Amino acid sequence: MDGYMRTLKRLGNYVGISKISVQTGTSHGGMVLPDGSIAKVQLDLAALKALSHDARTKYGLGGAVQHGASTLPPEAFGKFPECEAVEIHLATNFQNLVFDHPKLPADLRAEMNAW
């Protein structure tokens, strides 16, 4: 961030980013194990909290965005406000909800799967 801020200043009068994206032990879609199952996420909430704090206090950003949270267990989501994360990205599970919805027409599902 220090290098980024120096570069913005050197280039001119730019506002820059409003939040910073991090992955504190997560990955989009999870880590697939050799048996095809998804590994349990080792989420580092202390790192997320520290990064959010530094983003706000040192760089004037809104905070940190946790990426790759789709494979977290439901009980993990209540912890993000405690860490002052400004966003949590859940694209994989959202896509699964849409693509696996029982009212999705079968021909459309087949076309999507083939694609």
Side-chain angles (χ1 to χ4, degrees):
M1 279 301 299
D2 290 336
Y4 172 75
M5 299 301 280
R6 280 192 306 273
T7 300
L8 276 183
K9 188 174 182 178
R10 181 175 48 82
L11 291 175
N13 189 24
Y14 291 99
V15 174
I17 61 175
S18 62
K19 54 196 169 192
I20 190 161
S21 298
V22 300
Q23 287 185 219
T24 59
T26 61
S27 63
H28 283 291
M31 295 295 297
V32 180
L33 298 173
D35 68 358
S37 65
I38 302 294
K40 183 179 178 189
V41 176
Q42 301 296 315
L43 188 62
D44 188 344
L45 294 171
L48 178 60
K49 187 170 187 170
L51 291 166
S52 277
H53 177 266
D54 285 356
R56 282 190 314 283
T57 60
K58 292 182 180 181
Y59 303 104
L61 306 179
V65 175
Q66 177 66 53
H67 269 261
S70 294
T71 57
L72 291 175
E75 60 270 13
F77 295 109
K79 297 177 182 177
F80 289 112
E82 297 170 17
C83 296
E84 300 176 348
V86 294
E87 289 178 22
I88 303 129
H89 287 203
L90 304 164
T92 303
N93 272 353
F94 180 74
Q95 288 174 347
N96 290 344
L97 285 170
V98 172
F99 294 151
D100 295 340
H101 194 279
K103 292 190 179 183
L104 188 68
D107 57 335
L108 178 56
R109 183 186 323 277
E111 183 179 342
M112 290 188 315
N113 287 335
W115 178 258

